[in-house]
Amino acid sequence: RQKLVNNGRNLYMSTLCYPTHLFESIIDIIAGIEFLAYAGIQSVGFVGHSFGGAVVIETAAVVPNIIRTLALSTQKYDAVYAVSHLRQYCSILLIHGTDDDDMLWQAVHLVSQKANNPKQIILYEEAKLGLEEAGEQVHQVIYQWLVEHH
C-alpha cells in the first residue's frame, strides 16, 4: 500500500492479490472496503487499469454504498453490464489509449454509454493500453478526478 497524497483526505494505492482472477480480485477489494469501513472511512474511490478496471466496476456494482468514484481504463469482461448497476451518484472517469487494439478502447465507449453521470471519457491519441505515452497527464487527470468526485 502506498500513500498517494494527503490534502485533507488520505488517498492510498493498493494492488490485487489475484490479478487474473475476477472473482478473487473482487473479494480482495471487498475485504479492503470492510477494513476501511471498520476504520471509519465512509467513502472510497477506485482506480483500475485493464483487468483491474473490470474488477473495480464489478465491485462497485456489488458493494455500492461506500464507493463514490471510479477512474479507469477497462477491459470488457462484464464491465458493460455491471456499470449500468452502479448507484446513481457513483462518478466514473474512463481513460484509454487509441493506438492499440480497437476492441479494447471501443469497450470503453460501451462502458461510457451505460454509465450514469457524472462521467467523462478521455482518449489519448498514440497511447497504448498501458498509457505510458501519456503517463504524467493520466496521473494528473486521475488525481484531479479523485479530489473533485470523492
Side-chain angles (χ1 to χ4, degrees):
R1 183 172 88 158
Q2 299 172 345
K3 193 170 186 179
L4 297 178
V5 298
N6 186 352
N7 64 338
R9 299 177 183 160
N10 291 323
L11 302 177
Y12 292 93
M13 180 177 69
S14 185
T15 58
L16 300 172
C17 294
Y18 303 97
T20 59
H21 298 89
L22 183 63
F23 180 75
E24 289 86 352
S25 297
I26 292 169
I27 297 301
D28 281 351
I29 292 178
I30 291 172
I33 289 170
E34 288 177 358
F35 171 79
L36 294 171
Y38 179 77
I41 296 173
Q42 298 176 359
S43 71
V44 296
F46 284 106
V47 177
H49 176 73
S50 191
F51 175 76
V55 171
V56 298
I57 288 174
E58 292 277 340
T59 305
V62 173
V63 187
N65 295 336
I66 194 170
I67 300 171
R68 297 282 191 260
T69 190
L70 303 172
L72 51 99
S73 170
T74 186
Q75 292 178 0
K76 193 171 179 181
Y77 281 86
D78 290 331
V80 174
Y81 172 76
V83 77
S84 64
H85 295 288
L86 297 179
R87 68 179 181 174
Q88 195 70 27
Y89 47 91
C90 181
S91 63
I92 186 166
L93 170 64
L94 297 156
I95 301 174
H96 214 284
T98 61
D99 193 20
D100 215 335
D101 183 344
D102 285 348
M103 292 192 61
L104 288 177
W105 71 265
Q106 288 176 7
V108 173
H109 283 290
L110 292 173
V111 170
S112 177
Q113 289 172 351
K114 298 287 185 179
N116 294 317
N117 286 317
K119 64 183 173 184
Q120 183 177 357
I121 185 169
I122 299 173
L123 299 175
Y124 288 98
E125 298 292 325
E126 300 184 18
K128 296 187 184 308
L129 175 65
L131 297 168
E132 291 92 359
E133 299 84 355
E136 186 59 36
Q137 294 167 305
V138 169
H139 177 80
Q140 290 173 0
V141 166
I142 289 174
Y143 171 79
Q144 199 62 35
W145 183 267
L146 291 173
V147 169
E148 290 176 13
H149 293 91
H150 185 249

